[in-house]
Amino acid sequence: MKIRKFAAIDIGSNAIRLLIHNVIEEKGKKTQFRKSSLIRVPVRLGEDSFTVGEISEHNEERMLNAMKAFKLIMDVHGVEKYMACATSAIREANNGHEIVDRIYEDSGVKIEVIDGKKEAAIIASTDLKQLIQNDQSYLYIDVGGGSTEFTLFTDGKIKVSKSFKIGTVRILNNLVGEGIWKKIEIWIKENIQGLSKITIIGSGGNINKLHKMSGRKEGEPLSYIWLNSQYHFLESMSYEDRVSELGLNPDRADVIIPATRIYLSAAKWCGAKKIYVPKIGLSDGIIKTIYHSEQ
């Protein structure tokens, strides 16, 4: 038996995450991927990038400190390989590439700025395929702070995938017009033509939290009816009550509402009644990408 350690750094618009996995290789057996550690820091880069067009000095310092800390944690864990990916907030910031260069110089952490297409491809390399049955159609939705990736699976394969500039941080800052919602509706309706029942698979911190709040068991889907009622319940509460009474983290208590709206809208447009929440995302995909690049 050989146990290796790989790490993924996901620099998103709402938070920065470090995921460390034990990769267990045993002759004659399927390789196992087991989560060893997950650290999430609430650095909301999208609030800078999407409103003023660049990352503030304050958040640049926080991001640099996070990378220095992550580097030390990876060293302590004995991580063999890592990959750090930055998505829409850094991609769209005027000083994004400058910050990435500075972080590499000051921390030694090399960051790759990826586009929506590559983000969707990395996510698709996760264990998603284990959920997907060949005789059914699925709309996979990954809601982030700055962008949302939609991937349609039919006959067990990816039919089409698209990234839209709609995300929780953008919506909170009133940066998403009705036009973008309409574009998503048209894209979904055009691509599901001729397909029978569609099931949604959702990923991202907000849908994971909603699933936990529902009390459902792992693998048990959320219903459209429950999600819709939860949306109205959350919307009826003040931000302060969502933090104090529901126990939501301060940086989750606001973004959870726009995230729920994205899932509900997509479900309505494709006629989905169920949303499966496998609790996987970009970080998991990065780990698999590192591993499979060696094979």
Side-chain angles (χ1 to χ4, degrees), residues 145 166-176 181 258-259 261-262:
I166 186 171
T168 57
V169 179
R170 281 193 209 272
I171 294 170
L172 281 180
N173 286 280
N174 299 312
L175 298 170
V176 177
W181 290 101
R261 185 184 166 194
I262 294 172

Side-chain angles (χ1 to χ4, degrees), residues 23-89:
V23 180
I24 302 158
E25 297 173 322
E26 221 174 331
K27 203 172 180 180
K29 291 186 179 179
K30 192 180 173 185
T31 302
Q32 292 182 60
F33 296 84
R34 288 189 195 158
K35 184 168 80 175
S36 171
S37 176
L38 174 64
I39 298 159
R40 177 184 182 276
V41 288
V43 182
R44 193 169 279 183
L45 299 172
E47 210 148 65
D48 292 339
S49 182
F50 308 143
T51 57
V52 296
E54 61 178 43
I55 306 299
S56 65
E57 280 184 30
H58 174 64
N59 275 338
E60 182 182 342
E61 284 305 311
R62 293 174 76 208
M63 186 179 166
L64 174 59
N65 287 334
M67 292 306 111
K68 285 177 177 175
F70 287 179
K71 182 78 165 54
L72 289 170
I73 290 164
M74 289 192 292
D75 289 347
V76 171
H77 273 272
V79 167
E80 179 187 326
K81 281 190 177 181
Y82 77 90
M83 182 177 174
C85 292
T87 54
S88 56

Side-chain angles (χ1 to χ4, degrees), residues 123-141:
I123 294 164
S125 69
T126 61
D127 291 333
L128 206 54
K129 293 185 175 83
Q130 291 179 13
L131 268 180
I132 289 164
Q133 294 172 26
N134 290 347
D135 58 345
Q136 289 182 37
S137 298
Y138 301 86
L139 181 61
Y140 175 75
I141 307 168

Side-chain angles (χ1 to χ4, degrees), residues 2-264:
K2 190 178 179 184
I3 300 172
R4 307 169 72 188
K5 289 210 172 188
F6 291 159
I9 298 173
D10 170 9
I11 301 161
S13 303
N14 192 45
I16 301 172
R17 297 169 192 83
L18 168 67
L19 174 67
I20 298 173
H21 263 217
N22 289 323
V23 180
I24 302 158
E25 297 173 322
E26 221 174 331
K27 203 172 180 180
K29 291 186 179 179
K30 192 180 173 185
T31 302
Q32 292 182 60
F33 296 84
R34 288 189 195 158
K35 184 168 80 175
S36 171
S37 176
L38 174 64
I39 298 159
R40 177 184 182 276
V41 288
V43 182
R44 193 169 279 183
L45 299 172
E47 210 148 65
D48 292 339
S49 182
F50 308 143
T51 57
V52 296
E54 61 178 43
I55 306 299
S56 65
E57 280 184 30
H58 174 64
N59 275 338
E60 182 182 342
E61 284 305 311
R62 293 174 76 208
M63 186 179 166
L64 174 59
N65 287 334
M67 292 306 111
K68 285 177 177 175
F70 287 179
K71 182 78 165 54
L72 289 170
I73 290 164
M74 289 192 292
D75 289 347
V76 171
H77 273 272
V79 167
E80 179 187 326
K81 281 190 177 181
Y82 77 90
M83 182 177 174
C85 292
T87 54
S88 56
I90 294 292
R91 190 167 66 232
E92 293 178 36
N94 296 326
N95 58 347
H97 287 280
E98 189 185 306
I99 289 170
V100 163
D101 290 342
R102 187 199 160 194
I103 284 172
Y104 182 52
E105 282 174 26
D106 291 0
S107 73
V109 175
K110 192 171 180 63
I111 298 165
E112 184 182 348
V113 182
I114 60 171
D115 60 19
K117 195 174 180 182
K118 182 157 186 183
E119 189 175 349
I122 290 172
I123 294 164
S125 69
T126 61
D127 291 333
L128 206 54
K129 293 185 175 83
Q130 291 179 13
L131 268 180
I132 289 164
Q133 294 172 26
N134 290 347
D135 58 345
Q136 289 182 37
S137 298
Y138 301 86
L139 181 61
Y140 175 75
I141 307 168
D142 181 62
V143 174
S147 65
T148 297
E149 278 62 54
F150 294 86
T151 305
L152 186 64
F153 287 85
T154 55
D155 302 320
K157 294 173 190 168
I158 295 174
K159 181 189 174 187
V160 65
S161 185
K162 192 167 175 67
S163 178
F164 287 92
K165 280 189 181 182
I166 186 171
T168 57
V169 179
R170 281 193 209 272
I171 294 170
L172 281 180
N173 286 280
N174 299 312
L175 298 170
V176 177
E178 281 307 310
I180 190 81
W181 290 101
K182 195 67 193 169
K183 278 182 184 174
I184 297 167
E185 180 183 359
I186 290 166
W187 184 86
I188 288 174
K189 287 180 175 176
E190 277 180 356
N191 284 291
I192 64 164
Q193 274 184 15
L195 300 175
S196 52
K197 193 175 77 171
I198 309 282
T199 298
I200 286 177
I201 299 171
S203 77
N206 291 294
I207 198 74
N208 290 351
K209 187 66 186 175
L210 285 160
H211 192 272
K212 191 175 180 181
M213 288 164 72
S214 76
R216 284 166 172 77
K217 293 175 186 171
E218 194 176 326
E220 194 181 341
L222 299 175
S223 69
Y224 176 87
I225 293 167
W226 181 87
L227 197 62
N228 190 43
S229 66
Q230 189 70 2
Y231 174 70
H232 291 294
F233 168 66
L234 289 167
E235 213 181 18
S236 71
M237 298 179 83
S238 69
Y239 169 79
E240 290 75 15
D241 285 347
R242 291 195 292 272
V243 172
S244 62
E245 292 182 26
L246 297 183
L248 292 175
N249 286 336
D251 69 311
R252 177 73 66 211
D254 53 359
V255 292
I256 198 165
I257 292 175
T260 310
R261 185 184 166 194
I262 294 172
Y263 289 111
L264 282 172

